[in-house]
């Protein structure tokens, strides 16, 4: 009986030692500054009150960018950008380099480019689904064609720059050229006495 | 017993449903699906670049103030031809406003409020939530259809009875699709208040929102969607009263400038 008790006690000590070790490991994980990769959902960056969305538009973070988090508060990580401003990012939007590579590779295998992290998770709001739906329904295909005509070019071309439709050039430029957009909107605001 | 088994199975599937958020990439494609399948199959875009460009400028003026940066590919503001007074936000930053709405607005500040209301839906991720739910409902319908078939066969049901179960589950999927057509009233109210904040911080006269609501109330029959909500006067009146309180509490002021009024009048004249 006494031996059984000793065994149980030893086991408890061992368990608490393992638990303490894993707690230390978690603690290490929370030490900052730490380096992360930005995953595709990072466009939901939050700006702090001192930096406006226009600043963000001029200096956005891209999927795959490496960021250094200097502190974490309520699930948001504070990072410094090259313009010296502080910004906050949802820590859930960040992954480690290893995780990023794995997700990207999986997305590529699924045939979805543009860092389609979401597609790899098997949702189905993606280019592949759009193509399937278009093939099965001519009316839907017509809608996609009209959408692409409005957007200027198919989605996969957007990153290359657009404006293949001369009379929509101003609007397309405003949609896809962030610097131009920031400048145009600022002029529009100044003219209208807005801040 | 059969019903109990079915209920138990349903509960298990619902309980197991994933609830991860849409990424901006997924939201963009959900928005494309909404625009292609529902908006562009019903409406046409106004073929006037001056009006489209102006609406995009006003839209971006408030969107850039939202504190949430642009979605995956940015916001796309589009004016569609319809006498209905309506505006809607699809996932991924696709925002549409009807020519009827432009005609209902008296000045740029009122239009800014309409667009700010739609941007506010985006800030609160309402379209994303709807898209996620619709997707889950669809997946649920598919799963239930398979289970229905299985249970029907196991319980010795006829093929017709099995079909009935499938149809019931199909209806669940349709409800999910239906959600895309409009947001619940509490979300509209939430967007009303946040929209006020967006325009006020930009320097637009937030009080213009009240004029807009008063006009909509007197032209109730033409209003649909976000501005018809449940399609009755009390709803619009209730929303107007709520924003009236917010304007008074937060002491939102400001008046529409001559430049803004003039440029809006020029654009509006093009669609009259």
């Amino acid at each position: 009986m006494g031996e059984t008790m000793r065994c149980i006690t030893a086991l408890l000590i061992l368990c608490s030692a393992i638990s303490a070790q894993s707690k230390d490991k978690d603690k290490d994980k929370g030490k900052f500054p730490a380096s992360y990769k930005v995953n595709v959902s990072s466009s939901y960056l939050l700006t702090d009150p001192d930096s406006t969305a226009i600043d963000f538009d001029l200096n956005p973070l891209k999927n795959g960018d490496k960021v250094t988090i200097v502190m974490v508060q309520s699930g948001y990580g504070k990072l410094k950008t090259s313009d010296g401003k502080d910004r906050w990012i949802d820590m859930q939007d960040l992954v480690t380099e290893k995780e990023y590579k794995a997700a990207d590779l999986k997305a590529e295998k699924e045939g979805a480019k543009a860092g389609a992290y979401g597609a790899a998770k098997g949702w189905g709001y993606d280019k592949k689904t759009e193509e399937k739906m278009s093939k099965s329904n001519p009316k839907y295909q017509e809608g996609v064609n009209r959408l692409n005509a409005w957007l200027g070019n198919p989605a996969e071309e957007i990153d290359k720059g657009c404006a293949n439709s001369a009379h929509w050039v101003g609007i397309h430029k405003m949609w896809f050229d962030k610097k131009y957009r920031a400048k145009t909107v600022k002029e529009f605001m100044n003219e209208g006495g807005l801040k | 017993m059969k019903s109990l088994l079915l209920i138990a199975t349903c509960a298990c599937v619902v309980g197991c449903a994933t609830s991860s958020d849409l990424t901006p990439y997924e939201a963009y494609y959900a928005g494309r699906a909404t625009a292609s399948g529902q908006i562009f199959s019903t409406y046409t875009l106004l073929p006037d670049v001056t009006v489209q460009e102006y609406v995009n400028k006003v839209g971006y003026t408030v969107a850039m103030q939202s504190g949430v940066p642009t979605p995956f590919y940015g916001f796309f503001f589009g004016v569609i031809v319809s006498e209905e007074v309506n505006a809607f936000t699809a996932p991924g930053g696709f925002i549409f406003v009807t020519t009827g709405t432009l005609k209902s607005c008296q000045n740029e500040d009122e239009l800014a409020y309409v667009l700010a209301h739609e941007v506010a839906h985006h800030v609160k991720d309402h379209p994303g939530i709807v898209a996620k739910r619709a997707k889950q409902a669809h997946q649920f319908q598919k799963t239930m259809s398979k289970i229905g078939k299985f249970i029907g066969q196991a319980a010795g049901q006829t093929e017709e009875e099995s079909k009935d179960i499938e149809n019931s589950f199909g209806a669940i999927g349709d409800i999910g699709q239906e959600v895309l057509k409009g947001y619940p009233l509490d979300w509209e109210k939430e967007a009303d208040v946040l929209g006020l904040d967006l325009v006020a911080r930009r320097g637009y006269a937030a009080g213009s929102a009240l004029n807009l609501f008063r006009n909509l109330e007197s032209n109730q029959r033409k209003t649909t969607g976000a501005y018809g909500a449940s399609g009755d006067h009390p709803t619009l009146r209730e929303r107007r009263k709520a924003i009236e309180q917010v304007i008074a509490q937060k002491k939102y002021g400001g008046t529409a400038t001559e430049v803004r009024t003039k440029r809006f009048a020029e654009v509006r004249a093009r669609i009259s």
Side-chain angles (χ1 to χ4, degrees), chain B residues 165-179:
Chain B
I165 297 173
E166 274 185 56
N167 287 341
S168 307
F169 295 134
I172 297 170
D174 288 343
I175 293 166
Q177 299 271 344
E178 197 64 31
V179 176

Side-chain angles (χ1 to χ4, degrees), chain A residues 45 53 123 125 130 146 191-192, chain B residues 32 40 69 131 135 260 263:
Chain A
L45 263 180
W123 274 86
Y125 287 129
E130 183 178 282
R146 287 166 81 176
E191 186 195 68
Chain B
R32 281 180 66 91
F40 285 119
K135 178 72 190 163
R260 296 205 297 265
R263 66 188 181 190

Side-chain angles (χ1 to χ4, degrees), chain B residues 16-159:
Chain B
C16 296
T18 54
S19 59
S20 52
D21 290 329
L22 291 185
T23 66
Y25 173 85
E26 291 165 325
Y28 172 74
Y29 271 96
R32 281 180 66 91
T34 313
S36 309
Q38 296 186 7
I39 294 158
F40 285 119
S41 61
T42 314
Y43 303 99
T44 53
L45 277 168
L46 179 76
D48 187 323
V49 182
T50 309
V51 178
Q52 297 281 2
E53 196 167 5
Y54 172 77
V55 168
N56 272 277
K57 281 178 182 172
V58 178
Y60 262 107
T61 298
V62 287
M64 284 169 137
Q65 181 69 18
S66 68
V68 174
T70 54
F72 194 47
Y73 277 129
F75 280 104
F76 306 101
F77 295 93
V79 181
I80 49 177
V81 183
S82 169
E83 285 306 303
E84 288 170 11
V85 180
N86 200 3
F88 28 78
T89 309
F94 291 94
I95 293 178
F96 297 94
V97 58
T98 62
T99 45
T101 308
L102 289 186
K103 285 178 193 172
S104 289
C105 293
Q106 303 301 309
N107 53 44
E108 183 178 307
D109 296 41
E110 288 184 21
L111 173 64
Y113 178 71
V114 170
L115 298 175
H117 171 101
E118 299 308 319
V119 169
H121 277 306
H122 175 78
V123 173
K124 294 283 176 187
D125 199 26
H126 294 157
I129 296 168
V130 167
K132 191 173 78 179
R133 281 185 194 163
K135 178 72 190 163
Q136 282 173 337
H138 188 62
Q139 279 173 338
F140 180 68
Q141 176 201 354
K142 271 166 80 176
T143 315
M144 286 296 100
S145 174
K146 282 180 190 169
I147 293 169
K149 244 181 198 170
F150 174 75
I151 292 172
Q153 283 158 6
Q157 279 181 332
T158 64
E159 203 177 317

